[in-house]
Structures are given as C-alpha cells and as structure tokens.
C-alpha cells in the first residue's frame, strides 16, 4: 500500500475526520496516481485513514475508511450503499415524488461519487478519473443493493475516450417522466451532463409553490427547463421564464404540457438575463416574485458571469422590475461561496441602494443530499427568500 505523509501540524484536521485530502497538506504526492489506494499518515508514520487518489477541487483524493484493516472491495461499497439505502426509506415511500438522490458523495462516505434514482432509472456520476477506477466494484455493489430498471452514467471529469451513457438494465425511451411534489418533469439521462431537473432544489420549489406563488406574477431567471415556473403555475397569475439557451423554450413548453398547462398561457423568453432586465423595464413589466438561480460561471459572446463577483448586479436588476412588497428567491450552488458570504453580498447590495428587506427563510439541501459534518463545502446549496419592503 502506498502512503502519503502529512506536513507537520496538519494531522489534527484529518484526525477530526476532514474527508478531502488537500494537496498543500501532503509532503509529497508525485508517486500517487489516479485510482491508487493509500494510507494517510502523520510525519511520525502514524496511520490516520485509508484514502484513494481522485483529484477534485483542491484535493488529491478522499478518505474512504479509518480502519487500516478494512479492505476496499465490493463488500465495502455494498455496506455503504446499504446504509444509504436504509436512510432513504422515507423517499422511497413518499407519495408524489419518484426521483431523489440515493448516494451523495462524501456525505455518504465516498467523495467524488453520486447516485440518483429517477423512478427506477439510476444515474451514476463520476467526478474524477480516480473514482472511475473503482467502476467495476461500484457497479457490482449497486446491483447487489438497489432495485433498478436501468443504470446510466455521466463523467464529470475530462476524458475524451469516455462518453458515459447506458450501462445495464432495460434502456427506456427518453424522455422519461418523473414526479416531484405532485408535479411532473421530463428527464433525459443520456443527453450530455444535464438531466432536465436539479433534484437538490426539490424543497425550494415546493416552498415557492406553497408560500410565494398564489395570485402572483412570477419571474424565473436562468430557468433551464422551467421547473420553478411549472411548479408555481397553477397557483400564480402568470409565470415568465427566461434563459439564454435556445432549447430552453421547447423543454419548458414540454414540462408545462406534462402538467396539463397550456404553454401559450405562460411567457417564455430566450434571452440573456441582463438584456431581459432592460426589456422588462422598457415595457413596464413588474413581478411579485422573482427567482434568481444562476450557474456559478457562464460565458456568452457579450460577457462572462461569475456568481461570486456579479450576484449584486442580478439583485439590482431584479429590484427595478419587482412590484411593491415583492419577494426575491436568491439561490446559488457554488460550494466556495459560503452562506455567510452570500448573505453579506445580499445585505451590502440592498443597503447600498437604501432598500429595506426582511430575510424570511434560508434553505439548503434536502435530506437525501446527505452532507458531511466536517466539510462545509458539502452544504453547497443556499436558497434565501426575501421580502422587499
């Protein structure tokens, strides 16, 4: 077994079960190759953990076990999957919801690996070449623990020789239809990196529908397939969906249709968000609830957008078209953008333009997206509901 020696003074962090082995904490790591198993040891050669090499974020790999005698084999993954399966019993028995996360990376014990259930069709996502080296063991364990109709996979790392897609089982015809909080969405597990729905936002969508949509005009920015719009539509006066991607229109229309809502009764714009702000101002369009859920980073022909640098511009643009006593739903899934920093951006932006507001609710990940108690980035989702006075 290979070893990686911690620099002096770094052992406390890992003895306290920090799961990501950060590059700067290791004395030397040139001998470690993707997929290697290694012992993490102190500078006195004292064992701390068994880890694997999977370069991700600023880390060279993740902790798998704190037992030196534990073998990392199919039985190891099967044990973790069985625990994860039992902890999701609630979601298996939840009426009106058929899609949820089965295994959530470091939260369930294996950083760099996620497994989602889309109504019996499982999606594995591999976040490094290192974890992909364990593919055979992982698949064997999945087949032993989880019931499924089919299994698909997506590569979240760069390797032109690996395309992902169908793995085993009975391949469906896409899109398949999943249900979430009694609302239906199309999903495609074999079309690039996206699936059509972000499962981590399920509780936020429900909150929007139940508390912030009734008899309101809703604006959904960075709308993708229109999930926030679709869940709100039956309660709202109107929904307006805005996304720069050309195919967002047809995907959003299809999701409305699935739920018996005439897409022509809703508003859909294929447009840059900042261009839409100008358009809405010129035409005196105002909204009671505005949803802002941008990607962490985006680039088009005109400009680049970074959520950590440019979120204030989104808030200011929204204020110009927000009706009296309106609500903002501000979201980010950037793991490096802490909740404290996000709240500060919101506070500073609104105070700088002398706008009074009330923070109504802060939401994070649902329980199926299990987080790691000693690794703050695992709590990556932040969703904040505001009342603008």
């Amino acid at each position: 077994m290979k070893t990686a020696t911690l620099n002096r003074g770094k052992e406390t962090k890992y003895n306290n079960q920090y799961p990501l082995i950060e590059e700067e904490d290791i004395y030397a790591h040139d001998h470690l190759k993707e997929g290697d198993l290694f012992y993490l040891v102190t500078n006195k050669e004292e064992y701390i953990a068994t880890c694997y090499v999977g370069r991700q974020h600023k880390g060279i790999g993740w902790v798998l076990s704190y037992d030196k005698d534990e073998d990392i084999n199919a039985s190891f993954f099967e044990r973790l999957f069985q625990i994860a399966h039992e902890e999701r019993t609630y979601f298996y028995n939840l009426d009106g919801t058929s899609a949820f996360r089965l295994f959530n990376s470091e939260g369930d014990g294996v950083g760099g690996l996620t497994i989602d259930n889309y109504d019996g069709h499982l999606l594995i996502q591999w976040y490094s070449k290192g974890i992909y080296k364990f593919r055979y063991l992982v698949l064997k364990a999945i087949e032993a623990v989880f019931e499924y109709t089919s299994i698909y996979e997506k590569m979240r790392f760069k390797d032109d020789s690996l395309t992902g897609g169908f793995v085993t089982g009975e391949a469906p015809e896409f899109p398949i239809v999943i249900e979430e909080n009694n609302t239906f969405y199309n999903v495609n597990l074999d079309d690039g990196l996206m699936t059509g729905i972000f499962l981590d936002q399920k509780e936020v969508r429900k909150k929007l529908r139940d508390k912030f949509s009734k008899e309101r005009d809703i604006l959904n920015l960075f709308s993708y397939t229109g999930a926030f719009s679709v869940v709100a539509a039956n309660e709202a006066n109107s929904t307006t969906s805005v996304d720069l991607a050309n195919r967002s229109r047809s995907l959003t229309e299809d999701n409305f249709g699935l739920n018996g809502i005439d897409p022509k009764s809703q508003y859909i714009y294929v447009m840059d968000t900042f261009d839409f702000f100008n358009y809405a101002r010129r035409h005196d369009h105002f909204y009671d609830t505005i949803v802002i859920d941008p990607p962490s980073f985006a680039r088009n022909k005109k400009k680049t957008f970074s959520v950590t640098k440019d979120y204030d511009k989104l808030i200011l643009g929204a204020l110009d078209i927000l009706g009296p006593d309106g609500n903002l739903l501000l979201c980010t899934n950037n793991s490096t953008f802490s909740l404290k920093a996000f709240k500060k951006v919101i506070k500073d932006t609104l105070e700088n333009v002398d706008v009074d507001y009330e923070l109504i609710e802060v939401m994070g990940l649902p329980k199926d997206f299990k987080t790691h108690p000693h690794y703050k980035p695992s709590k990556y989702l932040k969703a904040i509901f505001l009342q603008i006075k």
Side-chain angles (χ1 to χ4, degrees), residues 164-366:
F166 177 73
V167 177
T168 189
E170 183 181 338
E173 182 177 340
F174 290 116
I176 59 174
V177 177
I178 62 99
E179 188 176 10
E180 177 193 279
N181 295 316
N182 304 112
T183 304
F184 299 96
Y185 302 97
N186 280 319
V187 165
N188 189 336
L189 305 183
D190 198 22
D191 182 22
L193 292 179
M194 308 294 257
T195 65
I197 190 79
F198 294 115
L199 297 180
D200 54 3
Q201 289 274 26
K202 65 170 73 67
E203 290 182 356
V204 181
R205 282 189 284 270
K206 185 177 186 296
K207 182 70 67 173
L208 174 72
R209 179 192 67 193
D210 295 347
K211 301 293 184 182
F212 299 93
S213 297
K214 189 175 179 60
E215 298 180 353
R216 299 188 186 192
D217 295 310
I218 310 291
L219 172 61
N220 179 15
L221 301 171
F222 306 96
S223 58
Y224 182 30
T225 60
F228 280 112
S229 304
V230 172
V231 77
N234 283 327
E235 296 291 331
N237 285 334
S238 71
T239 70
T240 299
S241 305
V242 179
D243 197 285
L244 185 59
N246 286 323
R247 69 176 189 159
S248 65
R249 178 184 294 278
S250 61
L251 294 172
T252 300
E253 289 174 343
D254 289 345
N255 276 336
F256 277 125
L258 269 183
N259 291 277
I261 300 166
D262 183 357
K264 294 180 181 178
S265 69
Q266 311 299 313
Y267 301 97
I268 303 172
Y269 294 86
V270 177
M271 188 181 293
D272 173 81
T273 292
F274 293 100
D275 291 341
F276 181 81
F277 285 149
N278 294 329
Y279 170 85
R281 283 196 299 269
R282 289 198 310 271
H283 293 82
D284 292 326
H285 293 327
F286 294 94
Y287 303 91
D288 303 300
T289 300
I290 299 178
V291 179
I292 304 178
D293 185 19
S296 293
F297 182 83
R299 177 186 288 114
N300 61 36
K301 294 179 181 179
K302 296 181 180 179
K303 62 176 81 73
T304 60
F305 171 85
S306 167
V307 74
T308 55
K309 295 179 180 178
D310 300 315
Y311 212 114
D312 59 331
K313 301 179 182 66
L314 292 174
I315 296 171
L316 293 173
L319 289 177
D320 286 343
I321 55 174
L322 186 67
D325 298 318
N327 294 107
L328 297 179
L329 168 54
L330 307 177
C331 306
T332 178
N333 66 356
N334 188 325
S335 62
T336 66
F337 198 12
S338 70
L339 177 60
K340 181 178 180 181
F342 189 35
K343 284 183 175 179
K344 186 176 188 305
V345 167
I346 295 169
K347 179 177 180 290
D348 291 349
T349 302
L350 295 175
E351 287 185 352
N352 285 342
V353 292
D354 199 26
V355 170
D356 290 332
Y357 72 97
E358 178 184 356
L359 194 156
I360 298 175
E361 187 156 1
V362 177
M363 299 183 70
L365 291 166

Side-chain angles (χ1 to χ4, degrees), residues 88-107:
R88 270 73 173 185
T89 299
Y90 169 82
F91 293 94
Y92 276 107
N93 296 303
L94 181 61
D95 289 339
T97 293
S98 64
F100 51 93
R101 179 147 290 186
L102 293 177
F103 191 87
N104 193 42
S105 195
E106 68 274 4

